[in-house]
Amino acid sequence: MKKIFHYILISILPFLLMNCEEVMEDFSVSSSEPVYVIEAFLSSNTDSIYVFISQTADYLNPISYPKISNANILLSYNDTTIVVIEESPGIYTASAVFSTKTNYSLSVQIQDEVFTAHSYLPEPVGIDSTMISVFPYSAFIAEYPGQLFYEITLYFKDPAQERNFYRIKITENDTLLNSPADLYIFDDKLLNGLPLDLLLRGYYFEEGDTIHIEFLSIDEANYVYYRGLREAMTSTGNFSIPDNPKTNFSPFVLGHFLTYSSDTVTLIIPNLDNIP
């Protein structure tokens, strides 16, 4: 795959992949003091919650990123409270039937400190269809004469009755695309209730590639978090230090609590050279 854009990887903002989710080991760009990192993901598709807890190192002296064990974690929704159990150092999980259109509260106790976060789980928005087309400027990025690249367009209908916030995650040949430029988020502020076609700009695939697309519906708090994270990770460092992303945890920690629903589609890129 070729991608036509420029970005700067910030050395103190690494992504580490775990259970197909992004876990930030250290993106504390505006603090040198070690702080807790709590990354929590609840999916209505898998009816599971994962919570990852660690602690940053001083970015002037990054020696280790310790996992935090023995935390007490409770998830509450409607009239139900469940315990999220530690399955390995710093990794906690639980399963239940998680309904959409529901508010979820997460309480994380680490020693004598208690951190709480709230997230609303919206209904999924379905992918109606997809289209694969030849990238018209393949010749400009080809490595040999006649090489073709392909684009993907998603078609969906934005619900008119509520404000919607989206994230798209793309896996190419079993590899989750997870650079700062792949943090693909948008909302329906100017598109509410419309049928939409969304060209995945900047992604040019090759014949035979297997592409898995997850179309996530998220809440506004997490949209704001991801927007701040993207700004922090793509900052050029113009004599200023970007703020940490706005977390939905209180009191302050790095990370966030995300509940989401999603629709998915898997495509294999065909040879369309002879199709008009």
Side-chain angles (χ1 to χ4, degrees):
M1 182 194 72
K2 288 201 172 184
K3 301 179 72 175
I4 308 303
F5 47 67
H6 299 280
Y7 57 85
I8 297 176
L9 290 177
I10 302 176
S11 61
I12 59 176
L13 299 175
F15 267 90
L16 295 183
L17 297 182
M18 187 175 298
N19 292 312
C20 296
E21 292 293 353
E22 50 282 91
V23 179
M24 315 308 169
E25 286 289 350
D26 188 0
F27 52 86
S28 179
V29 292
S30 63
S31 173
S32 62
E33 293 297 325
V35 296
Y36 291 122
V37 180
I38 305 175
E39 293 281 339
F41 305 97
L42 183 154
S43 168
S44 64
N45 294 51
T46 61
D47 284 329
S48 60
I49 179 172
Y50 285 90
V51 182
F52 306 90
I53 309 178
S54 62
Q55 193 172 37
T56 66
D58 187 333
Y59 67 75
L60 298 177
N61 186 28
I63 297 174
S64 64
Y65 303 92
K67 308 300 181 184
I68 302 300
S69 290
N70 302 316
N72 296 314
I73 303 178
L74 298 176
L75 176 70
S76 301
Y77 54 100
N78 297 330
D79 296 323
T80 302
T81 298
I82 64 175
V83 179
V84 185
I85 303 297
E86 186 170 17
E87 67 171 20
S88 61
I91 303 176
Y92 303 75
T93 187
S95 297
V97 177
F98 296 131
S99 301
T100 58
K101 301 179 72 173
T102 301
N103 289 295
Y104 291 84
S105 298
L106 189 68
S107 171
V108 179
Q109 181 178 0
I110 305 172
Q111 296 182 359
D112 295 330
E113 297 183 86
V114 178
F115 305 92
T116 59
H118 308 279
S119 182
Y120 176 75
L121 175 55
E123 289 189 298
V125 175
I127 300 171
D128 293 333
S129 61
T130 61
M131 182 180 70
I132 300 172
S133 56
V134 175
F135 177 53
Y137 305 105
S138 292
F140 291 96
I141 58 176
E143 297 175 350
Y144 56 84
Q147 185 180 21
L148 295 176
F149 295 91
Y150 298 88
E151 300 175 309
I152 296 175
T153 301
L154 303 183
Y155 295 87
F156 65 98
K157 176 73 161 57
D158 179 79
Q161 64 271 21
E162 60 186 358
R163 183 84 183 275
N164 296 97
F165 302 88
Y166 302 107
R167 181 182 179 192
I168 293 176
K169 299 174 70 173
I170 301 173
T171 300
E172 179 186 21
N173 300 325
D174 298 323
T175 298
L176 176 66
L177 304 184
N178 204 29
S179 76
D182 297 313
L183 189 46
Y184 201 134
I185 57 172
F186 61 100
D187 65 13
D188 65 350
K189 184 176 181 179
L190 301 178
L191 308 168
N192 186 48
L194 298 177
L196 300 171
D197 56 287
L198 178 67
L199 174 63
L200 301 180
R201 296 186 181 277
Y203 294 92
Y204 308 117
F205 304 104
E206 298 185 66
E207 179 184 348
D209 284 346
T210 298
I211 309 301
H212 180 78
I213 300 171
E214 186 173 15
F215 187 41
L216 284 73
S217 295
I218 63 178
D219 66 5
E220 184 173 9
N222 280 284
Y223 173 79
V224 170
Y225 170 84
Y226 281 128
R227 186 176 60 193
L229 180 61
R230 185 174 60 188
E231 291 172 356
M233 292 195 304
T234 57
S235 170
T236 59
N238 293 325
F239 305 102
S240 64
I241 299 177
D243 291 333
N244 291 313
K246 184 178 180 181
T247 180
N248 55 358
F249 273 101
S250 178
F252 173 79
V253 294
L254 295 174
H256 64 136
F257 171 40
L258 169 68
T259 64
Y260 67 93
S261 60
S262 63
D263 191 17
T264 62
V265 63
T266 299
L267 308 168
I268 298 178
I269 305 298
N271 187 325
L272 302 179
D273 189 24
N274 298 318
I275 299 178

